[in-house]
Short mmCIF file of all heavy atoms in Angstrom, two decimals:
data_model
loop_
_atom_site.label_atom_id
_atom_site.label_comp_id
_atom_site.label_asym_id
_atom_site.label_seq_id
_atom_site.Cartn_x
_atom_site.Cartn_y
_atom_site.Cartn_z
N PHE A 41 15.68 -3.27 29.41
CA PHE A 41 16.03 -3.69 28.04
C PHE A 41 17.33 -4.48 28.03
O PHE A 41 17.42 -5.54 27.41
CB PHE A 41 16.17 -2.46 27.14
CG PHE A 41 16.60 -2.80 25.75
CD1 PHE A 41 15.68 -3.22 24.81
CD2 PHE A 41 17.94 -2.73 25.39
CE1 PHE A 41 16.10 -3.54 23.54
CE2 PHE A 41 18.36 -3.04 24.11
CZ PHE A 41 17.43 -3.47 23.19
N GLY A 45 17.47 -8.16 26.85
CA GLY A 45 18.04 -8.36 25.53
C GLY A 45 19.50 -8.69 25.45
O GLY A 45 19.92 -9.40 24.54
N LEU A 46 20.32 -8.20 26.41
CA LEU A 46 21.74 -8.30 26.23
C LEU A 46 22.43 -9.18 27.27
O LEU A 46 23.60 -9.49 27.11
CB LEU A 46 22.37 -6.92 26.23
CG LEU A 46 21.79 -5.93 25.20
CD1 LEU A 46 22.45 -4.57 25.34
CD2 LEU A 46 21.98 -6.47 23.80
N HIS A 412 22.29 -10.06 3.16
CA HIS A 412 22.19 -11.31 3.90
C HIS A 412 20.72 -11.68 3.96
O HIS A 412 19.84 -10.82 3.99
CB HIS A 412 22.71 -11.18 5.33
CG HIS A 412 24.21 -11.14 5.43
ND1 HIS A 412 25.00 -12.23 5.11
CD2 HIS A 412 25.04 -10.17 5.83
CE1 HIS A 412 26.26 -11.89 5.30
NE2 HIS A 412 26.32 -10.67 5.73
N GLN A 414 18.00 -13.28 6.35
CA GLN A 414 17.78 -13.56 7.77
C GLN A 414 16.33 -13.92 8.06
O GLN A 414 15.45 -13.73 7.20
CB GLN A 414 18.18 -12.34 8.60
CG GLN A 414 19.68 -12.06 8.62
CD GLN A 414 20.41 -13.02 9.52
OE1 GLN A 414 20.27 -12.99 10.73
NE2 GLN A 414 21.22 -13.86 8.91
N TYR A 415 16.09 -14.42 9.26
CA TYR A 415 14.77 -14.78 9.70
C TYR A 415 14.51 -14.18 11.08
O TYR A 415 15.42 -13.96 11.85
CB TYR A 415 14.60 -16.30 9.74
CG TYR A 415 14.78 -16.97 8.41
CD1 TYR A 415 16.05 -17.42 8.02
CD2 TYR A 415 13.74 -17.13 7.52
CE1 TYR A 415 16.26 -18.04 6.79
CE2 TYR A 415 13.92 -17.74 6.28
CZ TYR A 415 15.21 -18.18 5.93
OH TYR A 415 15.40 -18.78 4.73
N MET A 416 13.24 -13.95 11.38
CA MET A 416 12.80 -13.45 12.69
C MET A 416 13.50 -12.13 13.03
O MET A 416 14.01 -11.95 14.12
CB MET A 416 13.02 -14.52 13.76
CG MET A 416 12.25 -15.78 13.50
SD MET A 416 12.54 -17.07 14.75
CE MET A 416 11.27 -16.68 15.93
N VAL A 417 13.50 -11.21 12.09
CA VAL A 417 13.94 -9.84 12.36
C VAL A 417 12.71 -8.95 12.49
O VAL A 417 12.48 -8.35 13.53
CB VAL A 417 14.87 -9.31 11.25
CG1 VAL A 417 15.29 -7.88 11.53
CG2 VAL A 417 16.09 -10.20 11.11
N HIS A 418 11.92 -8.91 11.44
CA HIS A 418 10.66 -8.17 11.45
C HIS A 418 9.47 -9.10 11.28
O HIS A 418 8.33 -8.62 11.35
CB HIS A 418 10.66 -7.09 10.39
CG HIS A 418 11.80 -6.14 10.47
ND1 HIS A 418 11.99 -5.31 11.55
CD2 HIS A 418 12.84 -5.90 9.61
CE1 HIS A 418 13.09 -4.57 11.35
NE2 HIS A 418 13.62 -4.92 10.18
N GLU A 424 14.01 -12.69 5.01
CA GLU A 424 14.09 -11.22 4.97
C GLU A 424 15.44 -10.82 4.40
O GLU A 424 16.48 -11.40 4.72
CB GLU A 424 13.91 -10.64 6.37
CG GLU A 424 12.56 -11.03 7.01
CD GLU A 424 12.45 -10.46 8.42
OE1 GLU A 424 12.62 -9.26 8.60
OE2 GLU A 424 12.17 -11.26 9.31
N ASN A 425 15.43 -9.76 3.60
CA ASN A 425 16.65 -9.26 2.98
C ASN A 425 17.25 -8.16 3.86
O ASN A 425 16.66 -7.09 4.01
CB ASN A 425 16.31 -8.69 1.59
CG ASN A 425 15.53 -9.66 0.74
OD1 ASN A 425 15.96 -10.80 0.57
ND2 ASN A 425 14.40 -9.23 0.22
N ILE A 426 18.40 -8.44 4.45
CA ILE A 426 19.06 -7.48 5.29
C ILE A 426 20.27 -6.89 4.51
O ILE A 426 21.26 -7.61 4.26
CB ILE A 426 19.56 -8.10 6.61
CG1 ILE A 426 18.38 -8.85 7.28
CG2 ILE A 426 20.14 -7.04 7.52
CD1 ILE A 426 17.22 -7.96 7.65
N ALA A 427 20.18 -5.63 4.13
CA ALA A 427 21.22 -5.01 3.31
C ALA A 427 22.44 -4.68 4.15
O ALA A 427 22.29 -4.30 5.34
CB ALA A 427 20.68 -3.77 2.60
N ASN A 458 26.33 -3.22 8.78
CA ASN A 458 26.82 -4.55 8.52
C ASN A 458 26.32 -5.49 9.63
O ASN A 458 25.84 -5.04 10.67
CB ASN A 458 28.35 -4.60 8.52
CG ASN A 458 28.91 -5.72 7.63
OD1 ASN A 458 28.17 -6.69 7.34
ND2 ASN A 458 30.14 -5.62 7.24
N LEU A 459 26.42 -6.77 9.36
CA LEU A 459 26.01 -7.79 10.32
C LEU A 459 27.27 -8.33 11.01
O LEU A 459 28.16 -8.84 10.34
CB LEU A 459 25.28 -8.93 9.56
CG LEU A 459 24.63 -10.01 10.44
CD1 LEU A 459 23.51 -9.43 11.29
CD2 LEU A 459 24.08 -11.13 9.54
N PHE A 460 27.31 -8.19 12.35
CA PHE A 460 28.45 -8.61 13.13
C PHE A 460 28.02 -9.75 14.05
O PHE A 460 26.84 -10.09 14.12
CB PHE A 460 29.00 -7.45 13.96
CG PHE A 460 29.41 -6.24 13.15
CD1 PHE A 460 28.55 -5.18 12.98
CD2 PHE A 460 30.67 -6.22 12.57
CE1 PHE A 460 28.92 -4.08 12.25
CE2 PHE A 460 31.05 -5.11 11.82
CZ PHE A 460 30.18 -4.06 11.64
N LYS A 461 29.01 -10.31 14.77
CA LYS A 461 28.71 -11.36 15.73
C LYS A 461 27.76 -10.87 16.81
O LYS A 461 26.93 -11.63 17.34
CB LYS A 461 29.97 -11.90 16.36
CG LYS A 461 30.90 -12.66 15.41
CD LYS A 461 32.10 -13.21 16.14
CE LYS A 461 33.03 -13.98 15.20
NZ LYS A 461 34.21 -14.52 15.89
N PHE A 462 27.89 -9.59 17.18
CA PHE A 462 27.07 -9.06 18.26
C PHE A 462 25.76 -8.48 17.78
O PHE A 462 24.98 -7.92 18.58
CB PHE A 462 27.85 -7.95 19.03
CG PHE A 462 28.33 -6.83 18.15
CD1 PHE A 462 27.49 -5.75 17.81
CD2 PHE A 462 29.60 -6.81 17.64
CE1 PHE A 462 27.92 -4.74 17.03
CE2 PHE A 462 30.06 -5.77 16.83
CZ PHE A 462 29.22 -4.71 16.53
N GLY A 463 25.50 -8.55 16.49
CA GLY A 463 24.22 -8.07 15.98
C GLY A 463 24.40 -7.24 14.74
O GLY A 463 25.47 -7.12 14.17
N ASN A 464 23.31 -6.64 14.27
CA ASN A 464 23.31 -5.81 13.06
C ASN A 464 23.31 -4.32 13.45
O ASN A 464 22.48 -3.88 14.25
CB ASN A 464 22.09 -6.11 12.21
CG ASN A 464 22.19 -5.46 10.83
OD1 ASN A 464 22.71 -6.09 9.91
ND2 ASN A 464 21.71 -4.25 10.69
N LEU A 465 24.25 -3.57 12.90
CA LEU A 465 24.40 -2.16 13.23
C LEU A 465 24.30 -1.31 11.99
O LEU A 465 24.94 -1.61 10.97
CB LEU A 465 25.75 -1.92 13.92
CG LEU A 465 26.01 -0.50 14.45
CD1 LEU A 465 25.03 -0.16 15.55
CD2 LEU A 465 27.45 -0.41 14.95
N TYR A 466 23.49 -0.25 12.06
CA TYR A 466 23.29 0.68 10.94
C TYR A 466 23.38 2.10 11.49
O TYR A 466 22.79 2.38 12.56
CB TYR A 466 21.94 0.45 10.26
CG TYR A 466 21.57 1.55 9.29
CD1 TYR A 466 21.98 1.53 7.97
CD2 TYR A 466 20.80 2.64 9.71
CE1 TYR A 466 21.65 2.52 7.08
CE2 TYR A 466 20.46 3.66 8.81
CZ TYR A 466 20.88 3.60 7.50
OH TYR A 466 20.55 4.59 6.62
N VAL A 489 20.98 5.90 14.58
CA VAL A 489 21.72 4.65 14.79
C VAL A 489 20.70 3.56 15.14
O VAL A 489 19.94 3.69 16.09
CB VAL A 489 22.73 4.78 15.93
CG1 VAL A 489 23.47 3.46 16.12
CG2 VAL A 489 23.72 5.92 15.64
N ASN A 490 20.67 2.50 14.31
CA ASN A 490 19.76 1.39 14.52
C ASN A 490 20.57 0.12 14.81
O ASN A 490 21.58 -0.12 14.17
CB ASN A 490 18.90 1.13 13.30
CG ASN A 490 17.99 2.32 12.98
OD1 ASN A 490 17.52 3.01 13.87
ND2 ASN A 490 17.81 2.59 11.71
N TYR A 491 20.08 -0.66 15.75
CA TYR A 491 20.79 -1.88 16.13
C TYR A 491 19.77 -2.95 16.50
O TYR A 491 18.75 -2.66 17.15
CB TYR A 491 21.71 -1.61 17.34
CG TYR A 491 22.24 -2.87 18.00
CD1 TYR A 491 23.25 -3.62 17.41
CD2 TYR A 491 21.72 -3.32 19.20
CE1 TYR A 491 23.75 -4.77 17.99
CE2 TYR A 491 22.20 -4.47 19.81
CZ TYR A 491 23.23 -5.19 19.20
OH TYR A 491 23.69 -6.35 19.79
N PHE A 492 20.04 -4.19 16.06
CA PHE A 492 19.29 -5.32 16.60
C PHE A 492 20.26 -6.47 16.93
O PHE A 492 21.25 -6.66 16.24
CB PHE A 492 18.15 -5.76 15.69
CG PHE A 492 18.51 -6.26 14.35
CD1 PHE A 492 18.99 -7.55 14.13
CD2 PHE A 492 18.34 -5.45 13.23
CE1 PHE A 492 19.33 -8.00 12.88
CE2 PHE A 492 18.65 -5.91 11.94
CZ PHE A 492 19.14 -7.17 11.78
N THR A 493 19.94 -7.18 17.99
CA THR A 493 20.81 -8.23 18.50
C THR A 493 20.69 -9.47 17.65
O THR A 493 19.79 -9.60 16.84
CB THR A 493 20.44 -8.55 19.95
OG1 THR A 493 19.17 -9.25 19.93
CG2 THR A 493 20.35 -7.31 20.80
N PRO A 494 21.61 -10.43 17.87
CA PRO A 494 21.38 -11.76 17.33
C PRO A 494 20.11 -12.34 17.92
O PRO A 494 19.54 -11.82 18.89
CB PRO A 494 22.61 -12.55 17.74
CG PRO A 494 23.64 -11.54 18.06
CD PRO A 494 22.89 -10.37 18.60
N LEU A 495 19.65 -13.44 17.33
CA LEU A 495 18.46 -14.14 17.86
C LEU A 495 18.91 -15.05 19.00
O LEU A 495 19.69 -15.96 18.81
CB LEU A 495 17.82 -14.94 16.75
CG LEU A 495 16.42 -15.49 17.05
CD1 LEU A 495 15.40 -14.39 17.25
CD2 LEU A 495 15.98 -16.41 15.90
N PHE A 496 18.42 -14.75 20.20
CA PHE A 496 18.80 -15.53 21.38
C PHE A 496 17.79 -16.61 21.68
O PHE A 496 16.60 -16.50 21.34
CB PHE A 496 18.92 -14.60 22.61
CG PHE A 496 20.01 -13.59 22.49
CD1 PHE A 496 19.72 -12.26 22.31
CD2 PHE A 496 21.34 -13.97 22.57
CE1 PHE A 496 20.71 -11.32 22.22
CE2 PHE A 496 22.36 -13.05 22.49
CZ PHE A 496 22.03 -11.71 22.30
N MET A 503 14.33 -14.60 21.30
CA MET A 503 14.21 -13.18 21.62
C MET A 503 15.25 -12.41 20.82
O MET A 503 16.34 -12.87 20.57
CB MET A 503 14.41 -12.98 23.14
CG MET A 503 14.11 -11.54 23.61
SD MET A 503 15.42 -10.36 23.36
CE MET A 503 16.62 -10.98 24.53
N ARG A 504 14.84 -11.20 20.43
CA ARG A 504 15.74 -10.29 19.76
C ARG A 504 15.51 -8.89 20.29
O ARG A 504 14.35 -8.47 20.46
CB ARG A 504 15.53 -10.32 18.24
CG ARG A 504 16.71 -9.72 17.46
CD ARG A 504 16.36 -9.59 15.97
NE ARG A 504 16.24 -10.86 15.26
CZ ARG A 504 17.25 -11.49 14.66
NH1 ARG A 504 18.48 -11.02 14.78
NH2 ARG A 504 17.02 -12.60 13.98
N GLY A 505 16.57 -8.13 20.58
CA GLY A 505 16.44 -6.78 21.08
C GLY A 505 16.73 -5.76 20.00
O GLY A 505 17.51 -6.00 19.07
N TYR A 506 16.11 -4.59 20.14
CA TYR A 506 16.22 -3.51 19.16
C TYR A 506 16.49 -2.19 19.89
O TYR A 506 15.94 -1.95 20.96
CB TYR A 506 14.97 -3.36 18.31
CG TYR A 506 14.55 -4.60 17.58
CD1 TYR A 506 13.84 -5.62 18.24
CD2 TYR A 506 14.84 -4.79 16.24
CE1 TYR A 506 13.48 -6.78 17.60
CE2 TYR A 506 14.47 -5.94 15.58
CZ TYR A 506 13.79 -6.92 16.26
OH TYR A 506 13.41 -8.08 15.61
N ALA A 507 17.30 -1.33 19.30
CA ALA A 507 17.56 -0.01 19.85
C ALA A 507 17.70 0.97 18.69
O ALA A 507 18.28 0.68 17.65
CB ALA A 507 18.85 -0.01 20.71
N ASN A 508 17.13 2.15 18.90
CA ASN A 508 17.21 3.22 17.90
C ASN A 508 17.55 4.54 18.62
O ASN A 508 16.84 4.95 19.54
CB ASN A 508 15.90 3.38 17.14
CG ASN A 508 15.96 4.54 16.17
OD1 ASN A 508 16.83 4.59 15.30
ND2 ASN A 508 15.06 5.51 16.31
N ARG A 553 13.28 -1.78 22.44
CA ARG A 553 12.24 -2.79 22.33
C ARG A 553 12.85 -4.17 22.37
O ARG A 553 13.98 -4.37 21.88
CB ARG A 553 11.47 -2.62 21.01
CG ARG A 553 10.17 -3.45 20.94
CD ARG A 553 9.46 -3.27 19.63
NE ARG A 553 9.98 -4.13 18.58
CZ ARG A 553 10.63 -3.71 17.51
NH1 ARG A 553 10.87 -2.41 17.34
NH2 ARG A 553 11.08 -4.55 16.59
N ASP A 555 11.70 -8.11 21.38
CA ASP A 555 10.67 -9.00 20.79
C ASP A 555 10.88 -10.42 21.31
O ASP A 555 11.94 -11.01 21.13
CB ASP A 555 10.77 -8.98 19.27
CG ASP A 555 10.23 -7.68 18.67
OD1 ASP A 555 9.72 -6.84 19.43
OD2 ASP A 555 10.29 -7.53 17.43
N ARG A 637 10.89 -3.17 7.00
CA ARG A 637 12.02 -3.58 6.19
C ARG A 637 13.27 -2.83 6.64
O ARG A 637 13.21 -1.65 6.99
CB ARG A 637 11.76 -3.31 4.70
CG ARG A 637 10.73 -4.26 4.11
CD ARG A 637 10.53 -3.99 2.62
NE ARG A 637 9.54 -4.90 2.04
CZ ARG A 637 9.08 -4.82 0.78
NH1 ARG A 637 9.56 -3.87 -0.01
NH2 ARG A 637 8.22 -5.66 0.34
N SER A 638 14.38 -3.52 6.63
CA SER A 638 15.62 -2.89 7.08
C SER A 638 16.04 -1.86 6.06
O SER A 638 15.76 -1.94 4.87
CB SER A 638 16.70 -3.97 7.22
OG SER A 638 16.35 -4.88 8.24
N PRO A 639 16.78 -0.82 6.53
CA PRO A 639 17.21 0.25 5.61
C PRO A 639 18.19 -0.25 4.56
O PRO A 639 18.90 -1.26 4.76
CB PRO A 639 17.91 1.25 6.55
CG PRO A 639 18.27 0.47 7.76
CD PRO A 639 17.22 -0.58 7.91
#
Side-chain angles (χ1 to χ4, degrees):
F41 177 83
L46 304 179
H412 284 294
Q414 290 284 292
Y415 299 91
M416 299 178 90
V417 179
H418 304 297
E424 302 177 53
N425 309 307
I426 308 299
N458 208 340
L459 187 65
F460 302 96
K461 292 182 179 180
F462 57 84
N464 191 89
L465 185 63
Y466 168 87
V489 180
N490 298 324
Y491 167 75
F492 61 79
T493 71
L495 191 65
F496 295 108
M503 189 277 292
R504 197 189 292 271
Y506 303 81
N508 176 57
R553 192 180 83 248
D555 285 357
R637 288 181 179 175
S638 296

